[in-house]
Amino acid sequence: VGTGAALDAVTRGLKVGLVEARDYAAGTSSRSSKLFHGGLRYLEQFNFSLVFEALKERSLVLNDLCPHLARPVPFLYPLLKVIDRPYAGLGIGVYDVMGAGRGVPSHHRHLGKKKTLEAFPSGKRSALRGAIKFYEGQVDDARHTMMIARTAAAYGALCVNSTRVTGFLRDGDRVIGVVATDLETGESFEIAAKHVINAAGVWTDEIQEMLGGRGQFQVRASKGVHLVVPRNRINAAAGIITRTSKSLLFVIPWGSHWIIGTTDTDWKLDLAHPAASKSDIDYILTEVNRLLQDPLDHEDVVGVYAGLRPLLYGESDSTSTLSREHAVSSPVRGLTVIAGGKYTTYRVMAKDAVDSAVHGLERRVPECVTEKIPLLGAEGYYGLWNSRELAAQRAGIRVGRMEHLLGRYGSLVHEVLALIDERPELGQPLETAPAYLKAEAVYAASHEGAQHLDDILTR
């Protein structure tokens, strides 16, 4: 949302600085379920406006804004009880009519037991009665957030990571900028600003306290845990979405692995280091094993990651019922706070934050144009994808390798290949991560703002 606000503001002709305390997307924005989805679960809450909004954003991202980083992925919704087909079928049918079937390879389809097991051979034969197949959007979240920042920088925004805001500059009751500390050198400096936007997610309240008080709303951190298991442990030609007693559970294809999640529990410890508990892992394994002929156990889990959702404080104790919608406020003059929301609606959140921020400026500021602004790497992507075999021949690499590069860099792939032209050894795979080329690690530091080895590995 912060990078989105920077892109939104700079493409309205404003002078913009973006300061990020860690790396771009270092928090929850790289620890999501990696889906751009319309929010099937919000239909159950009759939150039609949020579903409409999310489906519109999903379509924009998949088709126009960053087709190189996002793609449609098929999912099965397994049917376990007789009542599931009319009940789930109605819900997914409404979802489809609202826009979930547009801009993806096909509308939703009902499958019988035989077809379901053909698509999901690892499914528990005694439990499955059939399935509904439909599409969601998938995105490489860490790259996507970083590319929004790069696109903002290409339009003239000044973007820095590893730089923490440690205080506000005040003129009476007005905010006129921030004090920031360069975490690499320890040097502090002031940044003057006509207006400051606080888009710090779960740190929103902490930043409000620098001003000496709480804002008009509070943010509660809800922990979402995901497990990573090898692709060969579950035989399925599509992702899986299933209902649990608490929420929805996703089994998401991700390269040579599956990502399985997520949880929705309060987190009151260190915001920078949310951690999965044994009970989180047990819960996910128990729920996914209800669908699997050959159950997963702790030995199958090769990775675990957790992120924190910034939920707007509600009346309820359970975070899964807190608001996924966002709110914007201006607790003091010169400061706008944006919180809540979900990754899929980042662009709308950014627009609302900038609309609020420019409201009091003395000059006329143009309207938001980000729905017409493709991210770096998007322009020319479709043509490059169609001619990927020729491009691979010219570059002297395998077609599969070219597809991998196009899915991470889009039409900026030429910059990565140029590094290999200069230093041919960079065309070799990384020894312990052979899906990636050495050139990609160099490029992360030279073009993408990575400061530390950690940044490259985490991305």
Side-chain angles (χ1 to χ4, degrees):
V1 176
T3 57
L7 178 59
D8 189 300
V10 76
T11 53
R12 297 192 198 200
L14 297 165
K15 201 170 165 189
V16 178
L18 172 73
V19 289
E20 164 58 62
R22 295 189 289 169
D23 187 25
Y24 305 110
T28 298
S29 299
S30 61
R31 286 164 177 70
S32 72
S33 298
K34 307 188 191 308
L35 293 176
F36 256 88
H37 62 99
L40 195 53
R41 61 179 293 185
Y42 310 123
L43 273 184
E44 293 188 346
Q45 301 159 8
F46 300 105
N47 196 337
F48 297 114
S49 61
L50 187 57
V51 176
F52 261 126
E53 186 175 81
L55 284 171
K56 181 193 166 195
E57 293 306 309
R58 187 189 82 173
S59 173
L60 263 177
V61 160
L62 287 174
N63 301 309
D64 303 320
L65 302 186
C66 61
H68 54 312
L69 301 176
R71 56 200 51 85
V73 173
F75 276 90
L76 297 176
Y77 187 101
L79 305 171
L80 306 175
K81 299 197 285 284
V82 176
I83 188 68
D84 283 354
R85 193 175 291 280
Y87 179 72
L90 177 65
I92 293 170
V94 170
Y95 189 55
D96 202 324
V97 167
M98 288 177 75
R102 284 200 296 274
V104 293
S106 72
H107 288 277
H108 78 293
R109 285 172 46 219
H110 282 257
L111 306 180
K113 181 167 183 167
K114 183 166 175 270
K115 287 277 185 219
T116 299
L117 287 168
E118 279 172 19
F120 181 22
S122 284
K124 189 182 278 185
R125 286 154 190 72
S126 59
L128 295 179
R129 291 174 175 270
I132 301 169
K133 182 182 178 183
F134 63 105
Y135 281 83
E136 286 293 11
Q138 185 172 68
V139 71
D140 186 329
D141 49 6
R143 292 204 61 72
H144 178 253
T145 295
M146 184 273 304
M147 277 296 191
I148 302 170
R150 278 193 70 183
T151 307
Y155 279 94
L158 299 172
C159 305
V160 289
N161 52 3
S162 222
T163 305
R164 175 172 286 134
V165 169
T166 49
F168 286 94
L169 301 174
R170 307 283 293 264
D171 179 11
D173 66 346
R174 188 182 187 91
V175 167
I176 56 164
V178 296
V179 180
T181 302
D182 178 340
L183 299 183
E184 303 302 312
T185 64
E187 181 197 345
S188 284
F189 54 98
E190 295 183 349
I191 308 171
K194 290 242 168 50
H195 204 96
V196 175
I197 293 176
N198 169 7
V202 290
W203 280 274
T204 299
D205 293 355
E206 259 177 48
I207 289 178
Q208 291 296 103
E209 279 162 20
M210 288 181 196
L211 285 167
R214 288 211 170 277
Q216 284 148 290
F217 49 73
Q218 287 171 273
V219 172
R220 185 189 275 186
S222 156
K223 183 179 66 173
V225 171
H226 294 82
L227 310 184
V228 183
V229 303
R231 195 67 180 263
N232 63 9
R233 274 303 279 114
I234 301 174
N235 184 359
I240 312 291
I241 297 179
T242 188
R243 183 113 203 92
T244 73
S245 57
K246 297 176 184 171
S247 183
L248 289 177
L249 188 82
F250 295 87
V251 181
I252 303 156
W254 188 256
S256 56
H257 293 85
W258 295 98
I259 292 172
I260 309 174
T262 180
T263 58
D264 208 338
T265 52
D266 260 346
W267 177 259
K268 293 193 166 72
L269 303 174
D270 181 1
L271 295 176
H273 299 103
S277 64
K278 184 174 182 296
S279 63
D280 291 326
I281 296 169
D282 289 342
Y283 161 75
I284 293 173
L285 289 175
T286 301
E287 293 298 339
V288 76
N289 284 339
R290 286 170 51 232
L291 299 173
L292 297 176
Q293 189 70 21
D294 177 16
L296 298 173
D297 61 29
H298 285 259
E299 300 299 306
D300 295 310
V301 178
V302 295
V304 181
Y305 68 86
L308 298 176
R309 303 175 195 86
L311 300 186
L312 297 177
Y313 228 117
E315 301 301 310
S316 155
D317 291 338
S318 158
T319 65
S320 55
T321 58
L322 292 190
S323 177
R324 288 297 196 273
E325 291 187 75
H326 62 274
V328 180
S329 78
S330 186
V332 295
R333 289 193 307 151
L335 176 71
T336 290
V337 180
I338 174 118
K342 56 206 283 282
Y343 196 119
T344 303
T345 54
Y346 83 92
R347 196 194 63 80
V348 179
M349 293 175 69
K351 172 191 177 297
D352 290 351
V354 177
D355 281 347
S356 169
V358 301
H359 188 63
L361 296 184
E362 278 97 70
R363 50 174 280 202
R364 194 192 156 275
V365 176
E367 295 289 305
C368 168
V369 290
T370 51
E371 65 180 86
K372 302 187 193 99
I373 299 207
L375 300 189
L376 289 187
E379 211 167 307
Y381 164 75
Y382 289 115
L384 279 169
W385 180 260
N386 289 344
S387 56
R388 62 193 181 281
E389 289 177 15
L390 290 171
Q393 277 172 16
R394 280 199 299 272
I397 58 177
R398 296 193 332 271
V399 175
R401 182 73 73 190
M402 181 58 80
E403 289 176 352
H404 161 86
L405 292 173
L406 285 171
R408 287 173 67 76
Y409 306 95
S411 53
L412 298 182
V413 69
H414 302 305
E415 296 179 352
V416 182
L417 296 175
L419 291 176
I420 298 171
D421 282 345
E422 282 169 40
R423 294 170 56 193
E425 74 275 12
L426 295 181
Q428 296 300 312
L430 285 165
E431 229 165 273
T432 49
Y436 302 90
L437 295 178
K438 291 178 178 178
E440 296 186 73
V442 174
Y443 186 82
S446 62
H447 289 70
E448 298 184 335
Q451 305 270 1
H452 301 273
L453 186 57
D454 257 9
D455 300 340
I456 295 170
L457 295 175
T458 311
R459 290 176 186 185

